[in-house]
Amino acid sequence: MKKVLSKMTQQQLAELVHVSSRTIISIEKEQYSPSLMLAYRMAEVFGVSVEELCCLKENKELEDKQYENL
Amino acid sequence: MKTYNKKNFWLGMQFIVLALGLLILGFFKGFKLKNIALMILCFIIGVSFLMRSLSKEMSRKDRLDDMDERNRLIHLKSCSRANSITQVGSVILMGIFFGIGTASDADLMKGAGVGVAFCFTVSLWAEMFARLYYEKKN
């Protein structure tokens, strides 16, 4: 997601998806997970799918490993 | 002159009225340094809110900040945590007031403990009803 976000400034992205730049900074630092609608808006801006933008497949595999260890 | 953000406009007006109130109070009861500082602070805050409400761009940014999902989440989390801390603090204060009141047979302390207990009970009921409401709604 960092690589995707580096294409434009945080302020520009924030204005396009109607959130504050502080929210974009938090998302980039992985301190905050965006809502589905926000993730969809961001995916639209970058012309990718939500799955690609949020690396859902990789994160799911990581979570599955954690559930296996429970 | 158009008002783009009514909430900020009225908030600004309230602070300015507060500043004017402190000024009038100063004329009657004399000016103290603490009151002068408070008056100046209220005036500055009031004017800044007014200016923000009359500016289209600033009002737009304020509304965007209000609608921002992360800000809303932080607001919810901080209110919830503040409520929990207040409840714990109330229990501790109740214990202290009743303890001192019982030990020294001071009715004033016991009365203060009753007041704190009442506030604590109200907060518990409010939390319960709010939980029921949102359980039903969601």
Side-chain angles (χ1 to χ4, degrees):
Chain A
M1 194 158 171
K2 271 191 184 178
K3 289 178 188 175
V4 176
L5 285 171
S6 65
K7 287 181 186 175
M8 61 175 66
T9 65
Q10 291 164 343
Q11 184 62 39
Q12 286 172 332
L13 178 59
E15 281 174 14
L16 284 171
V17 297
H18 310 301
V19 293
S20 64
S21 56
R22 188 67 189 87
T23 301
I24 300 298
I25 292 167
S26 293
I27 292 170
E28 193 173 336
K29 285 183 178 177
E30 295 179 10
Q31 289 170 345
Y32 175 72
S33 296
S35 67
L36 186 58
M37 183 54 76
L38 179 57
Y40 180 68
R41 282 184 193 274
M42 289 169 70
E44 264 197 340
V45 165
F46 293 114
V48 298
S49 66
V50 174
E51 288 88 347
E52 282 171 342
L53 185 73
C54 300
C55 305
L56 289 181
K57 193 176 178 185
E58 292 86 347
N59 287 335
K60 183 184 174 291
E61 283 166 9
L62 280 170
E63 274 191 22
D64 285 342
K65 280 182 188 171
Q66 284 178 355
Y67 284 125
E68 279 170 18
N69 293 331
L70 280 174
Chain B
M1 200 166 61
K2 192 180 171 185
T3 311
Y4 294 99
N5 191 333
K6 285 181 183 172
K7 189 184 93 175
N8 278 355
F9 178 77
W10 288 115
L11 205 58
M13 289 301 291
Q14 280 173 20
F15 273 105
I16 288 177
V17 164
L18 193 62
L20 287 173
L22 283 168
L23 183 68
I24 292 167
L25 196 72
F27 282 122
F28 282 111
K29 292 199 172 181
F31 288 99
K32 293 175 190 172
L33 189 63
K34 191 178 72 174
N35 287 351
I36 292 171
L38 196 60
M39 183 179 64
I40 292 169
L41 188 67
C42 285
F43 185 71
I44 290 170
I45 292 171
V47 165
S48 70
F49 269 120
L50 271 182
M51 282 174 60
R52 290 194 80 84
S53 71
L54 297 173
S55 158
K56 189 177 180 183
E57 189 54 39
M58 284 184 187
S59 291
R60 189 185 159 274
K61 280 183 185 171
D62 287 341
R63 270 198 299 274
L64 203 66
D65 277 344
D66 284 343
M67 286 167 59
D68 185 71
E69 58 181 56
R70 183 180 162 274
N71 288 345
R72 282 184 172 181
L73 178 68
I74 287 171
H75 178 70
L76 279 171
K77 277 185 172 180
S78 56
C79 285
S80 171
R81 183 55 62 100
N83 186 46
S84 300
I85 290 170
T86 305
Q87 284 180 341
V88 168
S90 298
V91 169
I92 292 168
L93 272 176
M94 257 192 314
I96 290 170
F97 281 132
F98 281 129
I100 293 173
T102 309
S104 58
D105 203 26
D107 287 339
L108 191 66
M109 285 291 176
K110 288 178 190 173
V114 167
V116 173
F118 179 73
C119 291
F120 175 69
T121 309
V122 166
S123 78
L124 281 180
W125 281 107
E127 188 182 333
M128 190 180 77
F129 283 120
R131 189 181 285 268
L132 286 171
Y133 173 75
Y134 284 111
E135 281 279 347
K136 197 176 174 185
K137 200 177 173 185
N138 295 322

